[in-house]
Amino acid sequence: MPNTKKKINNALISVFDKTGLHTILEELHRGEVNFYSTGGTLKFIESLNYPCQSVESLTGYPSILGGRVKTLHPKIFGGILNRRDNELDKEQTAQYEIPEIDLVIVDLYPFRETVASGANDEEIIEKIDIGGISLIRAAAKNFNDVVVVASKEQYAPLESLLSENGVYSTLEERKWFAKEAFAITSAYDTAIFNYFDNTEGSYFRFSEDNAKILRYGENPHQRGVFYGNFEALFEQLQGKEISYNNLLDIDAALALISEFDELTFAILKHNNACGIASRPTVKEAWEAALAADPVSAYGGILICNASVDKEAAEAVNKIFFEVIIAPDYDTGALEILMQKKNRIILIQKANSQPKLQFRSLLNGVLTQDRDESIQTENDLKTASLKSPDKREIADLLFANKIVKHTKSNAIVLVKNKQLCASGTGQTSRVDALKQAVEKAKSFGFNLEGAVMASDAFFPFPDCVEIAGNEGITAIIQPGGSIRDNLSVEYCNTHNMAMVMTGIRHFKH
């Protein structure tokens, strides 16, 4: 297949979204390209005073079945699929007076958007595009001769091609458009499959077109790509390009902060909270969060669920951090935070997180439901003779939210809605607790009256004993060990409170 330029003589255009189409039509008309079209697209082209032949006049058949069948005809698909260098194809296209179609522009019915709108089944089914998807596949298959534009998202690349080459294309360009076309049809079919599959969960299908090439992956020698619509969740006010590791931390921050209704500030490092506190003002919440681990806060990800004011910004600005996220910022706060140009400043616009989570491993993919279980006071079952008081209950629930978002094995220590310390990602729960205790002491915390949360049960009373010796007065854990009674008995003999939730929050 020589990489010679081929002229576009005839174009078939049938699009749902006509935004930006007029510029393309102008370039094609200037290059004396003939237009074929149907329905609303035909009327749009004629409204611009460009000549256009209807598909119906070409095929000799009207649009039928309420528009369900318009382009499904040999004169259309023969015009797209015929191989220009094949003698039999040449003979048959001449015999049946089939024009060679060199450009196909399609924008499919908005199936995903219709599903997302809450439309009924009948409306959704009617948005399953049949003719459009068939045109795209045919044109992409015959990329040796045909340029295919399969979405309004590809109007801009086509404009660039026409601007640079006029109405000519190279094989390399046609092949690129074909690749993009199959990506679109794959995603479209996946969306339809997921609609029909609903909650069956017996198949894994995932497709995403919004690819963002990152500077690199987790390390500089690894390639990284993000598939998703970041802009739907955040507005970036300034800062350098967001990295692979930034995205991991931002995701963890968003998941954590969503658990809290009170004004809360959190600092994350390597997907774990190294500081978090709920307080009446943003500045107070920031200062309490920072106190938990001012060392780890260096280069961290900051997130707050309230608008950041100037007073808080002045305090935050004293340390180096990578990213700050908030629903809004005062003008004075932005003036301060924007002083460092590489600092990433994000406005959180939404917190819609997918119901399913994916992880690649071995030769395949794991999927699971997102952990959306949130425990309230009504979910707490007191296992010890002593019941936690009102302040302890508030701290226990606060700690349980944090431990849910901390790498297992995890232990979290909290006092007065402030993280004192956590033990994260340890192979032993005892080690996780010892790590948390040592860390809390190193930053001057008095653990007398603090509470402890564990992401899983205690098979032995060792952690409860260590906690009691440090002055911790209340513990929250899921329970479920055959030796639960040993931990409960220790609490009973040492005047400690223990509540169980029945819900484990492993996070690996």
Side-chain angles (χ1 to χ4, degrees):
M1 296 182 183
N3 198 26
T4 56
K5 289 187 177 181
K6 291 199 172 186
K7 186 176 187 299
I8 298 170
N9 293 302
N10 300 309
L12 174 65
I13 307 169
S14 179
V15 301
F16 184 86
D17 191 330
K18 299 163 187 67
T19 307
L21 185 62
H22 66 282
T23 307
I24 291 169
L25 292 170
E26 182 180 354
E27 291 290 336
L28 293 173
H29 178 68
R30 185 180 295 118
E32 300 181 345
V33 175
N34 300 312
F35 298 145
Y36 298 91
S37 192
T38 63
T41 308
L42 173 66
K43 292 177 181 177
F44 178 78
I45 296 172
E46 291 177 335
S47 74
L48 298 174
N49 296 319
Y50 299 134
C52 183
Q53 182 176 351
S54 69
V55 165
E56 290 88 345
S57 67
L58 175 63
T59 63
Y61 280 87
S63 171
I64 61 173
L65 308 182
R68 278 189 164 196
V69 180
K70 297 189 286 281
T71 57
L72 297 168
H73 191 278
K75 277 203 170 183
I76 299 299
F77 283 87
I80 296 169
L81 284 165
N82 79 86
R83 293 156 291 190
R84 307 327 192 233
D85 57 357
N86 183 285
E87 290 304 319
L88 178 60
D89 288 10
K90 286 181 181 179
E91 289 175 13
Q92 292 188 337
T93 53
Q95 178 183 355
Y96 298 111
E97 298 180 343
I98 298 175
E100 293 180 344
I101 296 173
D102 313 298
L103 169 64
V104 173
I105 303 178
V106 175
D107 182 55
L108 297 169
Y109 293 156
F111 181 83
R112 280 181 174 174
E113 293 82 353
T114 304
V115 173
S117 73
N120 60 41
D121 285 347
E122 183 179 352
E123 293 171 316
I124 291 170
I125 295 303
E126 287 308 309
K127 286 297 183 289
I128 298 177
D129 206 313
I130 302 300
I133 208 88
S134 302
L135 292 170
I136 291 170
R137 290 179 63 84
K141 176 177 180 176
N142 200 24
F143 66 86
N144 189 47
D145 299 303
V146 181
V147 178
V148 56
V149 173
S151 163
K152 62 184 178 182
E153 304 301 328
Q154 293 174 352
Y155 290 177
L158 178 62
E159 272 191 63
S160 297
L161 182 151
L162 296 171
S163 176
E164 293 174 13
N165 302 343
V167 291
Y168 291 84
S169 66
T170 65
L171 175 61
E172 183 181 3
E173 290 164 338
R174 294 190 297 275
K175 195 170 185 178
W176 182 87
F177 277 103
K179 178 202 70 171
E180 294 297 309
F182 282 120
I184 287 164
T185 60
S186 171
Y188 197 77
D189 284 342
T190 296
I192 295 170
F193 168 82
N194 287 336
Y195 166 73
F196 281 105
D197 188 50
N198 199 4
T199 57
E200 293 294 322
S202 46
Y203 301 93
F204 173 73
R205 297 285 190 279
F206 179 77
S207 182
E208 179 59 64
D209 291 332
N210 298 315
K212 178 179 175 58
I213 306 300
L214 304 174
R215 295 197 305 271
Y216 50 80
E218 205 161 4
N219 298 291
H221 62 276
Q222 294 171 275
R223 179 174 175 266
V225 182
F226 171 64
Y227 295 92
N229 189 356
F230 186 81
E231 289 71 24
L233 300 177
F234 302 101
E235 176 186 355
Q236 184 170 351
L237 301 182
Q238 76 154 36
K240 60 186 178 180
E241 182 184 348
I242 294 173
S243 70
Y244 182 101
N245 290 329
N246 288 156
L247 288 169
L248 290 174
D249 284 327
I250 290 168
D251 178 68
L254 197 62
L256 174 62
I257 206 71
S258 68
E259 304 276 8
F260 297 89
D261 296 322
E262 290 183 87
L263 194 159
T264 303
F265 210 122
I267 308 166
L268 286 90
K269 199 73 172 287
H270 299 298
N271 309 158
N272 291 311
C274 58
I276 181 169
S278 294
R279 293 292 184 267
T281 69
V282 177
K283 183 184 179 184
E284 290 174 294
W286 158 252
E287 290 175 339
L290 180 64
D293 189 348
V295 175
S296 294
Y298 182 88
I301 305 293
L302 316 184
I303 189 166
C304 184
N305 59 5
S307 178
V308 176
D309 54 34
K310 182 179 179 180
E311 188 179 18
E314 287 173 342
V316 168
N317 198 49
K318 294 176 182 177
I319 75 161
F320 167 73
F321 58 89
E322 290 267 354
V323 181
I324 185 168
I325 307 165
D328 204 358
Y329 305 85
D330 291 354
T331 302
L334 278 179
E335 290 175 355
I336 294 168
L337 295 173
M338 286 182 165
Q339 290 172 3
K340 292 182 172 58
K341 299 303 179 186
N342 283 337
R343 180 180 284 164
I344 297 169
I345 301 176
L346 299 176
I347 290 179
Q348 181 185 335
K349 297 192 292 187
N351 192 4
S352 58
Q353 299 189 58
K355 299 292 185 182
L356 284 180
Q357 295 178 310
F358 309 128
R359 179 178 291 186
S360 62
L361 79 172
L362 300 176
N363 213 15
V365 175
L366 280 175
T367 79
Q368 68 169 353
D369 297 332
R370 180 176 290 277
D371 184 357
E372 296 182 315
S373 177
I374 300 174
Q375 284 67 64
T376 66
E377 185 174 351
N378 292 332
D379 298 313
L380 306 183
K381 294 178 173 57
T382 302
S384 56
L385 295 175
K386 180 186 177 183
S387 296
D389 60 30
K390 186 175 180 180
R391 194 272 304 172
E392 287 171 330
I393 289 173
D395 279 352
L396 288 168
L397 293 173
F398 186 91
N400 197 51
K401 291 175 180 178
I402 302 171
V403 85
K404 171 183 171 182
H405 296 276
T406 304
K407 297 290 185 181
S408 300
N409 283 325
I411 291 288
V412 165
L413 307 179
V414 162
K415 188 175 181 180
N416 298 324
K417 294 183 180 178
Q418 176 187 24
L419 175 65
C420 299
S422 59
T424 67
Q426 299 301 303
T427 53
S428 157
R429 196 160 302 280
V430 171
D431 287 343
L433 175 55
K434 288 179 178 178
Q435 180 190 53
V437 169
E438 182 180 350
K439 191 172 183 181
K441 288 180 176 180
S442 72
F443 292 114
F445 282 96
N446 180 356
L447 295 178
E448 289 287 338
V451 306
M452 176 174 77
S454 173
D455 63 345
F457 61 63
F458 300 112
F460 303 100
D462 41 14
C463 282
V464 179
E465 182 177 354
I466 294 169
N469 290 337
E470 296 297 337
I472 289 166
T473 56
I475 297 168
I476 185 169
Q477 57 128 329
S481 170
I482 60 174
R483 300 185 185 89
D484 274 346
N485 63 299
L486 299 179
S487 296
V488 173
E489 288 169 5
Y490 187 90
C491 288
N492 290 339
T493 57
H494 292 80
N495 198 33
M496 297 170 68
M498 176 176 284
V499 297
M500 297 184 185
T501 64
I503 301 293
R504 187 184 73 185
H505 287 301
F506 269 161
K507 184 183 179 187
H508 292 106

